[in-house]
């Protein structure tokens, strides 16, 4: 009788581990394999549960968002470089960093800081007539192309 209870207990424990640990890990591994195979960084892991795997999946999805944005940025840079190389054109690239923005953001609050970032972005778009992007925090990058003189 004890042997039968041990066997039933072992089966229940194995089932629990399969449901709670093995299956979620296998799903994440499958997603990673698909990303590796297709180079499609828009694939996301499921995050519909309130467990540690979902917390991990959220962090991984944030990393995938970053990678996807970087990949898109790189593709855009490649297009610009290729087009200018074919035309024997000139590329102007610049960076802009807002000095002491962290202190400003802390003192006036993130909502006011966001408005400042939007304002700076709008001014850059209006004045530079090229590609403009926010690199992070208070840093911007801009690029415009033209013919060599």
């Amino acid at each position: 009788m004890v042997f039968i209870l041990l066997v039933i207990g072992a089966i229940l424990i194995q089932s629990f581990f399969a449901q709670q640990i093995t299956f979620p890990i296998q799903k994440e591994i499958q997603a990673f394999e698909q990303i590796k195979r297709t180079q499609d960084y828009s694939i996301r892991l499921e995050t519909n549960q309130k467990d540690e795997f979902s917390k991990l999946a959220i962090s991984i999805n944030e990393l995938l968002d970053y990678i996807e944005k970087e990949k898109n940025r790189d593709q855009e840079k490649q297009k610009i470089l290729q087009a200018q190389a074919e035309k024997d054109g000139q590329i102007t690239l610049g960076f802009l960093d807002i000095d002491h923005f962290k202190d400003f953001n802390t003192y006036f609050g993130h909502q006011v800081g966001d408005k400042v970032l939007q304002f700076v972005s709008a001014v850059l778009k209006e004045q530079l007539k090229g590609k403009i992007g926010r690199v992070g925090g208070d840093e911007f990058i801009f690029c415009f192309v033209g013919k060599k003189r």
Side-chain angles (χ1 to χ4, degrees), residues 73-112:
R73 230 182 259 147
D74 287 344
Q75 288 173 343
E76 185 66 26
K77 285 188 268 184
Q78 283 296 95
K79 280 193 247 180
I80 291 170
L81 291 172
Q82 184 66 35
Q84 288 306 300
E86 290 171 2
K87 295 185 215 174
D88 193 30
Q90 178 176 330
I91 299 172
T92 303
L93 181 67
F95 296 91
L96 175 89
D97 178 82
I98 304 173
D99 288 338
H100 310 292
F101 183 74
K102 183 178 179 188
D103 295 336
F104 179 91
N105 213 20
T106 301
Y107 185 76
F108 291 102
H110 293 286
Q111 289 179 333
V112 175

Side-chain angles (χ1 to χ4, degrees), residues 21-33 45-46 48-49:
I21 297 173
T22 306
F23 291 152
I25 291 173
Q26 286 175 341
K27 287 169 73 174
E28 291 182 4
I29 289 170
Q30 289 171 349
F32 285 130
E33 287 173 347
L45 304 177
E46 290 182 33
N48 55 1
Q49 298 175 3

Side-chain angles (χ1 to χ4, degrees), residues 27-138:
K27 287 169 73 174
E28 291 182 4
I29 289 170
Q30 289 171 349
F32 285 130
E33 287 173 347
Q34 184 178 1
I35 291 167
K36 182 179 175 184
R37 186 177 63 254
T38 63
Q39 295 295 303
D40 179 4
Y41 293 98
S42 65
I43 295 169
R44 296 295 175 263
L45 304 177
E46 290 182 33
T47 60
N48 55 1
Q49 298 175 3
K50 303 272 191 231
D51 59 12
E52 295 301 316
F53 286 111
S54 285
K55 290 177 186 176
L56 177 62
I58 289 169
S59 296
I60 291 169
N61 288 343
E62 289 172 359
L63 178 60
L64 290 171
D65 287 340
Y66 175 79
I67 292 169
E68 183 179 19
K69 287 177 189 173
E70 286 297 312
K71 184 178 178 186
N72 290 340
R73 230 182 259 147
D74 287 344
Q75 288 173 343
E76 185 66 26
K77 285 188 268 184
Q78 283 296 95
K79 280 193 247 180
I80 291 170
L81 291 172
Q82 184 66 35
Q84 288 306 300
E86 290 171 2
K87 295 185 215 174
D88 193 30
Q90 178 176 330
I91 299 172
T92 303
L93 181 67
F95 296 91
L96 175 89
D97 178 82
I98 304 173
D99 288 338
H100 310 292
F101 183 74
K102 183 178 179 188
D103 295 336
F104 179 91
N105 213 20
T106 301
Y107 185 76
F108 291 102
H110 293 286
Q111 289 179 333
V112 175
D114 287 347
K115 293 206 181 297
V116 169
L117 293 172
Q118 291 168 356
F119 174 76
V120 170
S121 177
V123 169
L124 289 172
K125 286 178 185 175
E126 180 183 316
Q127 297 298 316
L128 296 180
K129 308 293 187 219
K131 300 281 183 183
I132 295 149
R134 186 169 162 211
V135 179
D138 61 346

